[in-house]
Each structure stands twice: as C-alpha cells, then as structure tokens.
Amino acid sequence: MGRIVIGVKDVSVIPREQAKELLKKLRLKPWQLPWIRASDPLVKYAGARPGDILKIVEEFPTAEEVVCYRLVVPG
Amino acid sequence: MSLAESVETVPLKAIKSAKFGLLSPEIVRKYAIMEITTSEVYDEGGLPVRGGITDRRLGVAEPGARCETCGHAYDTCPGHFGYIELVKPVIHVGFARMIYDILRATCPNCGRIMLRNDEIKRYRERLARLRQRWRLLALNLHEKIRKKASERAVCPHCGHKKNKMKFERPYYFYEETEGGALVKLDPETLRERLAKVPGEDLELLGIDPAVARPEWAILRLLPVPPPHVRPSIQLESGVRSEDDLTHKLVDIIRMNEKLKMAIETGAPTNVIESLWDLLQYHVATYFDNELPGVPVAKHRSGRPLKGLAQRLKGKEGRFRGSLSGKRVNFSARTVISPDPNISINEVGVPYEIAKIVTVPERVTEWNIDFLRELVIRGPDVWPGANYVITPEGRRIDLRYVKDRKALAERLAPGWVVERHLIDGDVVLFNRQPSLHRVSMMGHIVKVLPGRTFRLHLSVCPPYNADFDGDEMNLHAPQTEEARAEARTLMLVEKQIITPRYGGSIIGARQDYIIGAYLLSHKSTFITKRELAYLLGAGMSAEDPPEPAILHPVELWTGKQVISHFLPRDLTWVQPTAFKSKCQDAFRCDRDEWIIVINGELVKGVLDKKSIGAEQIGSLWHRIARDYSPEVARRWLDSSLRVFLRFLDLHGFSLGMDSLHLPREAYEEIDRIVKSGIEKAYELLNDYRSGRLEAMPGLTVHETFENRIAEILSKVREEAAYVVERYLAKNSEGYLMAKTGARGSIINIVQMVAVLGQQTIRGERIRRGFRTRTLPHFPADDIGPHAGGFVQGAFKFGLSPIEYFFHAAAGRDGLIDTAVRTAQSGYMQRRLINALQDIYVAYDGTVRFGGTLLLQPLYGGDGVDVSRSDHGKIIDMGVLRLAARVGT
C-alpha cells in the first residue's frame, strides 16, 4: 500500500463537515458525484469507507493539477 | 380547430413522473369495448363482420362511417380497444428474460424468494435507505439480490429442492430433472409459478407489484388496437388492403380458433401442443418480427410483416423517423457550386428558390413603403411577396388577389408580409452528415441567377463539401429571435475558430495558396494597371501605397499589395515552408521567414503554413484570433480574391516540363532502384536458404515481409531525396508541393521516378493465383516484382503487370474508405447519443443531464479552448515579439 498510482498526486478523505459544504456549493446530492468503488486501491490507500467523499488530485499535461471529487460506493 | 383554441380548451397538467408497468387482464377487459370472437373480417357484401377485427364498435378510421361506440366520425372518434381471449396462455416475448430471472430467484413450490428471512430483512432495509437518496445504487442492489437468490438451490422457506432452469431464446423454458433430462415448461405452469410469488418478494427484485405482476407477462387476453392504429387502405381498383397488424391479428384469431377446436374435440396432446406453439409464434411475431431464432412471418407476397417493435425501431421507426425527425417548411435543397467572388459569409441563392422561401416581415412605419412595393410586385416577380397576414390572423394568398395595389394600400403597421428572400437576409445552411456544429452555419443571402446554391471555396472544409454533385439544405429562420441568433452565433465568420483545438477551420487552400506565394515572391512586380485591378478585386477603400520603384516605370511589389490589406497594427514573425538555412528571422536575406511589422509584410513568402486552414500559430491564425471575426472575415474575403486574381494574371499550369529531371538525376534514381531490388533479392536468398533470423515476436516469414517492405520503401525515400535535389525550384510541381497548395514530393516522385510498392490491406500483394500473384511469374515467386513493387512511373508509363497491381491497390483504397466512413459514422452516432446530455454549467462545472457531476471544473483548468492560445490563456511568444519590434 505504499505507492500511489501514476498520475495521481494525492488522495484524501474529506471530513464530513467540509464534504457537506462542498456538496452545498455544488448543489449536489452525494450520489450525483462520480463514484469510486470501495475495492479500488485508491480508496484503500486513503483509508476511506463507503459514503466518504474522496478528494483526488491528478496531474495532467494540459492543466497541471486537476482536483476531482469521488463518492466511495460499496463494491 | 385552430391551435389557439385547443390550447384554451384543453386543461393543462404538468407531468410529474411516468411509470411503466404491465397490463393486467382486468385492465385489458376494462379498456376493451368488445371481445373479438371471429376470424372473419368482411362478409360477402364487403361489410365488417360483427365481432370481427374490423367491427365498427372499435372505431372508424375512414371518412363516411360512424363509430358504433361513440357515434363520432373518423376524425373525432378516438378509437376503442377490443380483446382476444386466448384459449391457452402464451408468453409475451418482450418479457421472457424477466420471467426467467424471476423464476430462477424464486421457489417453484412456495413462490418465495430464495433468501433467508434475515437476508430479506437486511436487504429490505438497505433498499429503503438507498431508494431515498441514492436511486442509482438501488438498481445495482436489485441486481445483486437477484444473483444471490438465483444461486441458492434449496428454498429456505419450504425446504423444496429447486431444479435447474434453462431458458432457450426466444420463449422456451426447461427444467432439469435429477436424471439430467430437460422437461419443457408450458406457459400455464409458468403462470402458476409466477402467480405464487408474493408482492414483497417482487419488490426485492426491483418490480413494483402494483403495476407489474409477473404473471401478467403471460398473456391470456390480447388487447386489440382500434383501426386507427392499423388503418386499411382502399386501392383505386376498389380492392381493400389491410395493415400488417390486422393480418397478424387475423392469424392469431385463426390459430386460437383452431386450438379451441382441437381441445374441444379431444385431439391428441401432441397436436394441441403444436397448435399452442404456433399460437405462441404468431403472438410473438405480432410483437416483434425480428426475433433471433424465430422464422420471420411473411406476407403473401414474401415481404416480411411489420410487428409492433418494427414500427418503433430504427431509422424510419416512430422515434427516430416520426418524433425526432420532422420535415420542415421554409427550406430548400439543391446542388452546390463554387463562387470565389462572394464573401465566405454569403450563400448564392437562385431566384427560383428566393421566390418560394419567404421571411415574415412585420409592417412598421419605417418599412411600409418597401413592403407595399413588394406586395404590388406579387409572388411571381422577385423581389416580391407570397402572403399577407392581417392583424386578425387571416392569411391572404397573393396568387389569388386580383388587385394587389388595393391590398397594398390597406397595409398598415401590425400586418405581416411574407416576402421573398432578398440580399442580406440570414439563413441557415447545412450539409449532411451533420457531424459537428459547423455542419450548419448562418449565411447571408445573395440572390443570383442560375439554379445552384453558390458558396465560397473556403467554407467547404467545415461542411466537408465539394462540387461533384453535392447537395445542401437551406432554412430561413421565421422569427426575429431566430434570425438574431443565426446572425450573432451561427454566422460563418463567428465559426472561423473551432472549439476543438482553437485553430481556424477556414482559411486559404489550393489556388489561393499558390496565388499568395506568387504574389509575395521577391521577383513579383506590379504595374499601375495591375495594382488598380488587384486593389479593386480586394474592394479596397484606401489610397494605394507609394510605388516601390519610380523610374523608368512605376512598379509596386507583390508584398505591398498584400500589406495593403493587413491590419495596420499587426506584427508577426514566423518561418515559411522554405526555411532551410536561416535560423534567425531578422538576419535572413532570403524569403525564408515571414516578418510583418505594423501591417507591413517586409519579408517572406506566403504559403500554407502562414495562411492555410488548420495551421496553429500562423499569420492567419493570429489575424483570426486577435481581431474581431468581422475584421478577420474581411481580410480573408478581400485577400483571397486578390490572390486569385493575381493567379489569373500570372497564369499557372502543370505540364510535362514542370516535371523535368536532368539525365544525372535519372542515373541516380536508376542506381537507387537497382540496388534496392538487388538487396531485396539478397534478402529473398537469405530467407529461402534459411539464413534469415526471425525478429522478436515474429515468424521468419513475417520478418522477411517487414524487411522487404523496409528496403523497398527506402527506395522511394531515397528517390524522393534525389528528385527534390534535381527538380527545378521554380517548377509548378515543386512549388505546389512546397507551398502546400496541393500534393507532396511523394506525388512528384511517383510521377517522375518510381511508383513504389503497391499494397492491399496494408500488405504486399500476395493473393491471385494458387502459388503466385500472376501467371507471369514463376511459382512461389515472392520477390519484389511479384509482390507488387512498381518500378515504373506515371511519366514513362507502367508495364501491364505493374498497371494491374496499381489498379488492384487503387480499388482496395476505395473499398477501404467506403468501409471506414460507414464504421466511423456509426461510432460517431453512438458517441453523440451517449454524450448528448453533457454540458458546461454556469458555475464552470461539467454536468450530465442536470443530475450527475462529471468534472468540478471544465477540462480541469476551466479554459475555453476556442478562446485560448494552445490551451493557455496567453501566448508569451507573441508578447515577447511585440516587445522586440516595439509596437
């Protein structure tokens, strides 16, 4: 569990309070976010559980750092 | 009933949701007005038989008759359903899969779902939770529950040991007994089993028992649609022709009667079985006549009958053909042809079309005189008008108005005149396939003599149009709002920059490029007469520049003419296609770099790299990006016209002498070809004697093929090098290839040196006869010549064998393009269908259909590519250049 997948710079679980704020800002219900399976190595790396929201920072050749939010779903 | 009336009388309701379910037998009976009891359709007198499929109680679909149920005529009778009572139940093919899924997940004995009570409780709680907030996940869970229940073999509720089920498409079910024998389950048994499943268990499987009990998918009662759905047509000969559905329904009723007879007379079971199966077949093909594994039901003529599914499915089906695809008025279609003299914004419209396609114009104080004139001119003279609409909404057809002058006098503000298309109107212009947004753009009308639409050559690439018989469509927007949108958003000049990668899709091509090159060439000098002609062609409104040479005659340079049309504050430096020795633009004494300072072209020749379409970081790209669309369009319009007129004056043609090579060149080419072929034969020897070693991952033969292809392509490469070296630098062929106007050095090599290797499906030619490609070669000859290497060139002709290989490769290319377009077209359709609901919201996020979030910020950086420089906000190079030149 040491290394992160290539292209992904950072993964972290967003604390409940912040997640709520984020969802309010984007006017979304949790399930409307992109999903990520709990069996995904990234989720295990971040130590997230189903229902958590992950903040994933990726590296792109065109747009340096790209932030993406994903909802952890069972599976 | 007019539209306005109907809107007022029909009570409005907002649809909150839609739910799909199955028709229960009770509902079928309740909806129906009668039972269909006989297969007879008409009696001897040609009148509908009572209780038959054309019974007047079902409604009437032809004029004259009255419905016996509601008493209305054909246009107001809504039609009434009937039903057929089937003697034995049959499976609804559309739900066979669902039936199978349910049967596998439930116990055949007690009907309960094959899950323990604790599991049921757990899943039910989870479902209730999910359904509230995570609707999509609930669907996932149903699938999981189904799988889990299907895996269990012993029922936890009654202890019954379940046999394995087998489903055979389209509608056969079998049960595997302990002995391994397959026992067929008839629909009656299936129905009994499905009826046993309790509603709560169905909910776990994702079925709402209130609207869709699974046993309803096994049909006892078949609804019969009214004749409005299946109208019969009276042919001229007086013969009646029935709809496909009517035919199919008659088949079903007949089969039903036969089955009934067989049962009543106590026929043997196998007879009943086979009749039952036939009934099942007819009902199945009534729903869908394209079922896999089922013979297609045919009309007497051999034409396949159209089932219900066929009415909805596919391109001509209800959805794609009737609902999404509509035919429109105020449109025109004809062949297109080129006109280099109109603007890229314009479209040439024939008088004949301009007189039919109209635009509604509201009468105001300011245009009343103009519109009166048009009304007086009438529908037959352009520009005129076809209709006048009074403030009460009455439409007056000017064709039948005797005194148009009097009508014109009555015209007052508030009236609407539908006048002919005139110059300056905005219309939408489109060519299929409409693959991207620039397949439909706004154009300004220019009414012209002739019978074709005329368009500027530079707008061919976005439409992917040429003039070998292409036709295009034109639509005249009918509201002020639509016209305003067409003008501000869709006009060609607003579409020069594509949002795909920020480059221009419109630009100079072919003749324009070679014309621009010749005009910008150092040796080009222009007399006063010619200058006046060129500036006139460019519609210049400014004073001509001072001549570059004053004595003995006044002469201007071509660069002066080009500079005359450039924006005054433009500064730009870029290499040309001729760049070879010079590295520094400002220390180059040849025309290898383009330098524009304050709108003055001081150095460099124009070519595809600087004014061509789809060239990022070019002179034209700069103009299109840094100035308003209108300025860019005006520059393109006038400059292209100038380039073309100059090319007319200069003259340009490719002949045999454009492809002349000196003797030494041919000697060199011969040497290259010979040594290449020698090397190929050496390789062949190695291969034959087994000395050739296989490359990693390849067989020896594959290695050989790779190597020989490499050797022979090298021949062409080296020949290209020689040709480029010896070909006159001012020959037309060389100029076209170098400037990018048309063709490349490869094409010249193929004309003057060697045509090279011919391929079929990307491989050397190998098929033909049993052991060889042609009978002119020895058996098993796989050398360069037998493999399709053409040593000849077009200028000197090909040998018959070479000619044959060339023709074969050419045909392969044609087939390849045909297949590729079909495949990529379908791929495109599927992609667009899948992605059509994605949009960038006002907060910069990318969302799908208003529900799902795809990206928190468009593209990760929120940059609109069409308004960026190479995806960046600014291009530092441009700023640095401006600083150096000091503008």
Side-chain angles (χ1 to χ4, degrees):
Chain A
M1 283 297 120
R3 284 191 314 147
I4 299 187
V5 188
I6 297 166
V8 177
K9 271 180 103 177
D10 187 42
V11 201
S12 58
V13 182
I14 302 181
R16 276 288 135 111
E17 273 314 301
Q18 272 182 31
K20 254 189 197 158
E21 241 165 72
L22 175 79
L23 291 172
K24 205 174 159 197
K25 198 185 97 196
L26 295 171
R27 304 199 176 187
L28 292 173
K29 293 267 180 310
W31 60 268
Q32 292 174 307
L33 285 171
W35 295 356
I36 187 166
R37 291 206 172 210
S39 54
D40 194 289
L42 265 185
V43 176
K44 288 179 191 163
Y45 177 85
R49 293 176 12 85
D52 285 346
I53 292 170
L54 284 186
K55 180 184 179 179
I56 301 168
V57 183
E58 284 177 87
E59 229 171 21
F60 273 83
T62 47
E64 286 158 24
E65 280 189 0
V66 174
V67 179
C68 170
Y69 304 102
R70 279 176 182 275
L71 171 69
V72 182
V73 297
Chain B
M1 192 159 55
S2 79
L3 198 69
E5 263 176 83
S6 68
V7 167
E8 275 163 35
T9 49
V10 176
L12 292 177
K13 288 250 167 89
I15 296 172
K16 232 190 264 163
S17 67
K19 205 163 193 177
F20 292 94
L22 293 168
L23 285 181
S24 74
E26 290 81 56
I27 288 181
V28 173
R29 218 184 289 268
K30 224 166 103 189
Y31 272 6
I33 208 74
M34 58 173 287
E35 188 191 345
I36 311 290
T37 44
T38 170
S39 62
E40 275 169 68
V41 184
Y42 297 105
D43 59 18
E44 301 85 12
L47 287 169
V49 175
R50 211 166 161 76
I53 196 111
T54 53
D55 194 305
R56 283 282 147 81
R57 282 177 289 172
L58 293 172
V60 282
E62 69 266 27
R66 289 227 162 247
C67 168
E68 285 181 24
T69 302
C70 60
H72 286 291
Y74 77 103
D75 54 344
T76 40
C77 167
H80 314 281
F81 270 81
Y83 69 87
I84 298 168
E85 179 128 31
L86 300 174
V87 191
K88 291 240 178 216
V90 291
I91 287 158
H92 187 311
V93 269
F95 294 102
R97 183 86 222 175
M98 186 197 86
I99 292 172
Y100 178 57
D101 285 342
I102 294 173
L103 287 176
R104 263 194 325 169
T106 55
C107 168
N109 185 37
C110 66
R112 293 301 308 272
I113 191 163
M114 303 279 273
L115 291 173
R116 288 194 308 272
N117 278 327
D118 59 310
E119 287 170 329
I120 292 176
K121 193 165 163 250
R122 217 178 60 228
Y123 281 130
R124 202 166 280 154
E125 274 165 14
R126 230 164 110 193
L127 269 178
R129 237 181 16 248
L130 287 179
R131 219 172 276 144
Q132 264 175 21
R133 301 194 302 149
W134 309 16
R135 293 183 343 242
L136 281 89
L137 269 179
L139 297 179
N140 264 1
L141 187 59
H142 287 309
E143 188 68 7
K144 237 173 93 182
I145 294 173
R146 214 205 73 228
K147 265 202 191 120
K148 179 130 197 210
S150 308
E151 275 161 15
R152 188 144 307 150
V154 181
C155 175
H157 301 281
C158 65
H160 178 84
K161 194 168 175 301
K162 199 173 90 172
N163 289 323
K164 248 200 177 159
M165 295 267 302
K166 222 184 141 230
F167 169 53
E168 202 171 84
R169 288 218 284 173
Y171 41 67
Y172 294 117
F173 292 90
Y174 301 93
E175 200 169 36
E176 207 169 286
T177 57
E178 270 101 277
L182 287 179
V183 180
K184 197 177 157 194
L185 298 170
D186 61 27
E188 255 165 5
T189 338
L190 296 173
R191 201 185 143 85
E192 273 162 32
R193 287 192 186 177
L194 290 172
K196 269 190 273 186
V197 182
E200 303 92 76
D201 288 0
L202 288 173
E203 269 166 25
L204 286 174
L205 295 169
I207 295 164
D208 181 358
V211 292
R213 284 290 318 177
E215 66 267 25
W216 299 342
I218 297 187
L219 304 164
R220 273 225 94 121
L221 295 182
L222 188 70
V224 175
H228 305 68
V229 178
R230 41 180 183 91
S232 64
I233 353 167
Q234 193 107 35
L235 296 175
E236 277 158 63
S237 52
V239 186
R240 225 169 219 211
S241 180
E242 292 295 337
D243 191 89
D244 280 5
L245 284 188
T246 309
H247 281 296
K248 207 64 237 181
L249 284 166
V250 170
D251 287 343
I252 293 172
I253 300 164
R254 260 197 213 131
M255 218 58 230
N256 199 34
E257 278 174 352
K258 262 194 206 166
L259 184 59
K260 197 176 190 177
M261 281 283 282
I263 294 169
E264 277 166 7
T265 55
T269 27
N270 61 334
V271 173
I272 291 176
E273 270 302 87
S274 67
L275 285 174
W276 191 358
D277 193 44
L278 264 171
L279 181 68
Q280 170 76 70
Y281 166 77
H282 282 303
V283 174
T285 48
Y286 167 71
F287 284 117
D288 184 354
N289 202 11
E290 277 168 12
L291 288 166
V294 176
V296 180
K298 288 204 174 120
H299 198 254
R300 251 169 313 187
S301 62
R303 176 181 62 86
L305 287 164
K306 282 213 168 14
L308 283 171
Q310 277 66 51
R311 283 196 174 194
L312 310 177
K313 247 190 206 162
K315 202 163 175 191
E316 258 114 64
R318 203 83 325 140
F319 294 108
R320 272 174 79 187
S322 316
L323 290 165
S324 315
K326 292 251 176 67
R327 287 165 183 273
V328 292
N329 293 127
F330 306 105
S331 64
R333 180 185 174 94
T334 184
V335 177
I336 51 166
S337 48
D339 188 339
N341 295 315
I342 61 173
S343 162
I344 56 166
N345 262 351
E346 287 176 321
V347 57
V349 179
Y351 283 105
E352 281 91 335
I353 286 175
K355 282 195 283 189
I356 294 168
V357 178
T358 60
V359 173
E361 189 164 335
R362 193 161 282 274
V363 180
T364 62
E365 258 175 73
W366 301 279
N367 65 7
I368 190 159
D369 293 332
F370 168 66
L371 290 177
R372 278 199 174 125
E373 183 64 33
L374 292 186
V375 170
I376 291 167
R377 293 173 71 92
D380 300 320
V381 188
W382 185 87
N386 289 356
Y387 292 92
V388 171
I389 300 163
T390 66
E392 298 85 56
R394 206 158 60 84
R395 219 179 149 79
I396 303 167
D397 190 337
L398 289 180
R399 277 178 301 178
Y400 308 117
V401 174
K402 285 198 193 78
D403 190 359
R404 291 199 295 264
K405 236 180 192 149
L407 182 68
E409 280 309 310
R410 283 169 55 210
L411 230 56
W415 291 47
V416 173
V417 176
E418 295 207 331
R419 43 148 257 250
H420 293 160
L421 277 187
I422 55 171
D423 288 6
D425 279 334
V426 66
V427 290
L428 304 187
F429 203 41
N430 156 246
R431 179 181 176 274
Q432 283 99 353
S434 312
L435 296 174
H436 48 188
R437 73 180 211 191
V438 283
S439 288
M440 184 178 252
M441 291 190 284
H443 284 253
I444 303 293
V445 169
K446 176 104 186 161
V447 182
L448 294 173
R451 316 198 69 186
T452 56
F453 286 136
R454 248 58 55 81
L455 69 153
H456 193 274
L457 292 120
S458 281
V459 285
C460 286
Y463 292 118
N464 191 19
D466 50 38
F467 305 109
D468 60 4
D470 289 25
E471 291 184 69
M472 284 179 73
N473 311 317
L474 177 137
H475 300 268
Q478 295 291 303
T479 63
E480 228 26 91
E481 194 186 11
R483 281 193 287 271
E485 283 197 359
R487 225 178 258 278
T488 50
L489 301 172
M490 299 179 73
L491 204 61
V492 175
E493 68 183 33
K494 317 272 180 181
Q495 305 290 336
I496 292 173
I497 302 283
T498 163
R500 205 163 78 214
Y501 53 87
S504 63
I505 21 162
I506 291 168
R509 339 167 40 196
Q510 306 201 352
D511 298 40
Y512 297 124
I513 289 172
I514 203 75
Y517 169 79
L518 295 171
L519 183 59
S520 61
H521 200 264
K522 258 185 179 174
S523 63
T524 300
F525 287 95
I526 308 268
T527 63
K528 192 168 190 175
R529 258 177 78 90
E530 288 167 340
L531 181 81
Y533 178 70
L534 292 179
L535 297 192
M539 294 191 191
S540 163
E542 284 163 59
D543 290 340
E546 292 296 316
I549 292 171
L550 292 165
H551 192 74
V553 278
E554 289 184 326
L555 286 176
W556 285 261
T557 64
K559 287 194 175 78
Q560 278 185 293
V561 177
I562 293 166
S563 305
H564 186 76
F565 292 96
L566 288 173
R568 282 284 74 102
D569 55 346
L570 179 73
T571 294
W572 181 244
V573 174
Q574 78 164 107
T576 69
F578 294 90
K579 182 192 152 192
S580 59
K581 293 197 183 87
C582 300
Q583 288 310 314
D584 185 355
F586 298 96
R587 280 160 208 264
C588 187
D589 56 351
R590 308 152 53 144
D591 267 351
E592 291 183 12
W593 287 77
I594 289 172
I595 299 179
V596 177
I597 295 174
N598 290 330
E600 200 68 41
L601 178 64
V602 287
K603 198 179 279 185
V605 286
L606 298 186
D607 54 28
K608 189 184 176 184
K609 273 190 167 168
S610 50
I611 58 166
E614 300 187 349
Q615 303 293 320
I616 294 178
S618 67
L619 179 69
W620 161 232
H621 188 209
R622 230 42 261 167
I623 294 172
R625 271 201 46 72
D626 291 352
Y627 298 87
S628 72
E630 201 195 332
V631 170
R633 190 215 83 224
R634 268 215 298 270
W635 178 81
L636 200 66
D637 276 345
S638 46
S639 292
L640 292 191
R641 245 178 336 240
V642 170
F643 298 153
L644 211 58
R645 290 301 169 83
F646 178 73
L647 192 64
D648 284 351
L649 294 177
H650 186 276
F652 190 84
S653 57
L654 181 104
M656 283 299 263
D657 54 344
S658 318
L659 300 170
H660 174 78
L661 286 186
R663 183 186 295 267
E664 307 94 81
Y666 283 114
E667 280 164 5
E668 247 180 82
I669 289 166
D670 275 347
R671 263 203 305 281
I672 290 167
V673 173
K674 252 192 212 116
S675 91
I677 286 172
E678 249 166 55
K679 264 189 229 157
Y681 275 114
E682 264 170 50
L683 180 74
L684 185 60
N685 277 336
D686 284 351
Y687 172 66
R688 286 258 160 81
S689 61
R691 264 173 297 167
L692 189 67
E693 268 188 48
M695 290 194 285
L698 297 179
T699 63
V700 180
H701 185 75
E702 284 164 350
T703 311
F704 167 72
E705 284 293 329
N706 278 357
R707 292 277 298 279
I708 204 162
E710 197 183 311
I711 290 167
L712 295 177
S713 72
K714 209 171 222 164
V715 169
R716 202 153 71 175
E717 268 166 45
E718 279 169 32
Y721 189 66
V722 175
V723 169
E724 195 165 356
R725 200 143 39 87
Y726 281 98
L727 197 67
K729 296 291 172 283
N730 58 355
S731 80
E732 284 83 358
Y734 184 79
L735 287 185
M736 284 200 289
K738 242 351 202 194
T739 57
R742 193 75 225 242
S744 63
I745 294 290
I746 295 285
N747 297 114
I748 298 173
V749 171
Q750 290 192 323
M751 286 189 274
V752 299
V754 277
L755 193 56
Q757 180 65 51
Q758 302 299 305
T759 57
I760 286 179
R761 291 184 194 169
E763 286 174 341
R764 292 201 311 146
I765 291 166
R766 41 177 201 155
R767 290 187 313 160
F769 292 81
R770 198 156 50 80
T771 52
R772 47 192 163 177
T773 51
L774 282 176
H776 313 76
F777 298 107
D780 295 318
D781 187 355
I782 50 168
H785 297 294
F789 182 75
V790 177
Q791 218 176 312
F794 292 134
K795 195 174 170 185
F796 309 100
L798 311 183
S799 78
I801 290 166
E802 290 177 335
Y803 187 88
F804 176 79
F805 286 147
H806 180 58
R811 175 66 57 86
D812 178 64
L814 288 180
I815 291 166
D816 196 52
T817 40
V819 171
R820 256 209 321 265
T821 47
Q823 279 178 348
S824 66
Y826 185 42
M827 195 176 83
Q828 173 101 7
R829 204 189 136 66
R830 274 155 20 204
L831 263 176
I832 301 284
N833 259 333
L835 303 180
Q836 62 181 355
D837 294 327
I838 298 174
Y839 65 99
V840 181
Y842 282 115
D843 63 355
T845 59
V846 181
R847 289 170 193 245
F848 182 94
T851 52
L852 301 180
L853 179 87
L854 297 183
Q855 289 178 357
L857 184 61
Y858 171 70
D861 52 11
V863 168
D864 174 356
V865 181
S866 64
R867 291 172 202 285
S868 69
D869 260 300
H870 301 256
K872 295 276 180 299
I873 312 295
I874 45 160
D875 187 342
M876 286 309 288
V878 176
L879 293 184
R880 249 180 261 127
L881 179 73
R884 164 158 192 176
V885 182
T887 43

